[in-house]
Amino acid sequence: MTLRSLLGASALSLIAASLVQADPITLTDIAGREVTVDGPVDRVILGEGRQIFFAAVLDPENPFERVVGWRDDFRQASPESYEIYAETFPALTEIPVFGGFKDGTFDIEQAVSLNPDVMIMNLEAKAATDEAGYEDKLAKVGIPIVYVDFREKPFENTAKSMQIIGKLYGEDAKAAEFNDFYQAQIARVTDVIEAQTDLDRPLVFVERAGGYSEDCCMSFGDGNFGRFVALAGGTNLGSEFIPGTFGTVNAEQVIASDPDQIVVTGGNWEAYVPGGDWVGMGPGSDVEEAGRKLAALMERPAFTGVKAVETGQVHGIWHQFYNSPYSFVAVQRLATWLHPELFPDMNPEATLQELHERFLPVDYRPGYWVSLQAAETN
């Protein structure tokens, strides 16, 4: 009697799999740290649930297959995306969740129990991680941290981050294909803007998460959406008053600056601010309702008599473009708002559809933006 007949094919497969040794992968993460991980990784903890936006590109058959734990922010910060993915991958609702590093609720014992190969963290969490000593504590129990960044410096770090994760996942080719697409879509805007010898850059005020709180007005400095505006051929109002990436511009300053265009980032944040004035943007969102709430926000004192409001140059856009590999779509959308004469044939909706068709496991659904002036909302 043979060994195969005694054990069966499935048992032999398990034995063979256990004998396969993972190859050490040494890489330099976005924080500049050299990290060695046994890979390709099969068991991953996501330091933020919204990191599924990159996992969906690299694991389109099942973005949740490697995820053994994650922070519970995807369902709250982007509920419409969560529901769409849950329709196709219902097992995501069973993934263990844990607390955050910043609020001190992360449980190392829970992380150890999940037996991960790696923990992928966003760069902005590093300060809190260092302060609490989590990196050393996790290293002692054999859990390496790898930092990526789609939020602090997205146009410097998105392609690098995708390359890093592609290496961890053993999906270098997919990462490279996405990066080629990403760079080409950005170039469709930047090549045109850079070719202008006498570009009139409109002054743009970006209100970050408008209506999320009663305070006005959270915005961006040179980073993130501030950088989006610059790439799209505008002047970001917040850059003059906010030294870092994120900050606040007071209402009086908005009025005095008199921006040519206003862009409000929004999401469906019922979980955070029930019944709030936030503008609900995202896949499958009610664009008509979003437009109504956007118009209501423009009645606040900060926008009294402002040129952009008077001319109807007011727009809402999905907040999560600021923290995902899909930021190039926001740049295209901004470019068509700021310089329609330079981009008459650019269709950001078509770009989003192509992104979904080529890289993502869920179908495209409109609802990512709205404009008070134009009848077009997609």
Side-chain angles (χ1 to χ4, degrees):
M1 184 174 292
T2 65
L3 181 62
R4 177 174 290 276
S5 62
L6 283 169
L7 295 178
S10 60
L12 283 174
S13 297
L14 288 173
I15 292 173
S18 68
L19 294 175
V20 175
Q21 296 296 315
D23 294 325
I25 297 172
T26 299
L27 53 82
T28 301
D29 69 6
I30 295 300
R33 302 158 55 253
E34 188 173 276
V35 184
T36 299
V37 180
D38 289 336
V41 296
D42 294 317
R43 300 179 62 82
V44 178
I45 289 179
L46 298 181
E48 187 172 279
R50 283 168 290 178
Q51 290 177 335
I52 210 65
F53 292 135
F54 67 63
V57 172
L58 298 175
D59 272 341
E61 295 300 317
N62 184 353
F64 306 92
E65 186 173 13
R66 303 179 205 244
V67 182
V68 297
W70 60 354
R71 189 176 177 189
D72 190 21
D73 61 280
F74 186 37
R75 178 175 55 87
Q76 298 167 325
S78 189
E80 67 290 334
S81 302
Y82 181 93
E83 293 301 327
I84 289 170
Y85 275 92
E87 290 173 9
T88 305
F89 306 101
L92 76 85
T93 61
E94 301 172 6
I95 297 174
V97 300
F98 56 84
F101 283 2
K102 289 184 178 181
D103 58 16
T105 58
F106 177 73
D107 186 341
I108 290 181
E109 291 184 3
Q110 180 190 17
V112 172
S113 72
L114 298 174
N115 191 29
D117 299 314
V118 68
M119 185 167 189
I120 301 176
M121 296 292 298
N122 285 348
L123 184 62
E124 66 266 20
K126 190 175 188 306
T129 305
D130 290 345
E131 183 177 349
Y134 282 125
E135 187 177 316
D136 291 338
K137 293 174 184 177
L138 288 170
K140 288 178 181 178
V141 293
I143 303 176
I145 293 177
V146 171
Y147 289 101
V148 297
D149 176 40
F150 300 95
R151 182 174 180 265
E152 296 294 317
K153 296 182 178 180
F155 297 108
E156 290 84 350
N157 292 334
T158 290
K160 294 177 185 176
S161 295
M162 291 299 290
Q163 186 179 34
I164 288 168
I165 304 158
K167 191 171 184 179
L168 288 173
Y169 277 29
E171 296 290 355
D172 302 78
K174 285 182 182 177
E177 182 185 1
F178 176 83
N179 283 344
D180 287 346
F181 179 70
Y182 172 90
Q183 300 288 4
Q185 295 302 323
I186 288 289
R188 291 179 63 196
V189 173
T190 56
D191 285 355
V192 172
I193 294 300
E194 290 170 3
Q196 307 306 307
T197 57
D198 189 22
L199 182 67
D200 182 15
R201 289 180 173 266
L203 182 63
V204 183
F205 177 62
V206 183
E207 184 176 9
R208 177 166 53 99
Y212 186 91
S213 70
E214 295 181 0
D215 297 330
C216 185
C217 301
M218 294 189 296
S219 190
F220 301 87
D222 284 331
N224 207 281
F225 257 93
R227 177 75 169 142
F228 296 8
V229 167
L231 290 174
T235 298
N236 177 47
L237 190 157
S239 296
E240 184 178 350
F241 307 103
I242 298 172
T245 299
F246 306 100
T248 301
V249 178
N250 64 52
E252 292 77 12
Q253 191 59 64
V254 175
I255 295 172
S257 299
D258 196 21
D260 299 298
Q261 299 214 21
I262 293 170
V263 177
V264 178
T265 72
N268 293 290
W269 292 316
E270 189 68 22
Y272 293 136
V273 188
D277 294 330
W278 37 262
V279 180
M281 298 271 86
S285 296
D286 185 339
V287 177
E288 184 176 344
E289 173 63 7
R292 184 194 67 79
K293 295 181 77 172
L294 179 62
L297 288 179
M298 294 302 103
E299 297 176 2
R300 291 173 297 167
F303 304 104
T304 302
V306 169
K307 184 190 308 178
V309 177
E310 298 297 322
T311 59
Q313 293 290 346
V314 177
H315 318 281
I317 194 166
W318 189 46
H319 185 73
Q320 300 307 328
F321 282 127
Y322 95 124
N323 192 26
S324 77
Y326 317 150
S327 51
F328 60 90
V329 181
V331 174
Q332 289 190 2
R333 180 73 275 186
L334 288 167
T336 62
W337 284 334
L338 304 185
H339 295 286
E341 75 288 354
L342 297 179
F343 301 97
D345 299 322
M346 180 165 286
N347 186 343
E349 182 182 10
T351 300
L352 257 180
Q353 288 175 324
E354 184 178 358
L355 170 67
H356 282 73
E357 290 167 2
R358 287 184 57 182
F359 297 101
L360 302 181
V362 293
D363 293 334
Y364 171 71
R365 302 182 191 182
Y368 289 87
W369 44 66
V370 64
S371 176
L372 293 188
Q373 182 189 51
E376 176 200 14
T377 56
N378 294 320

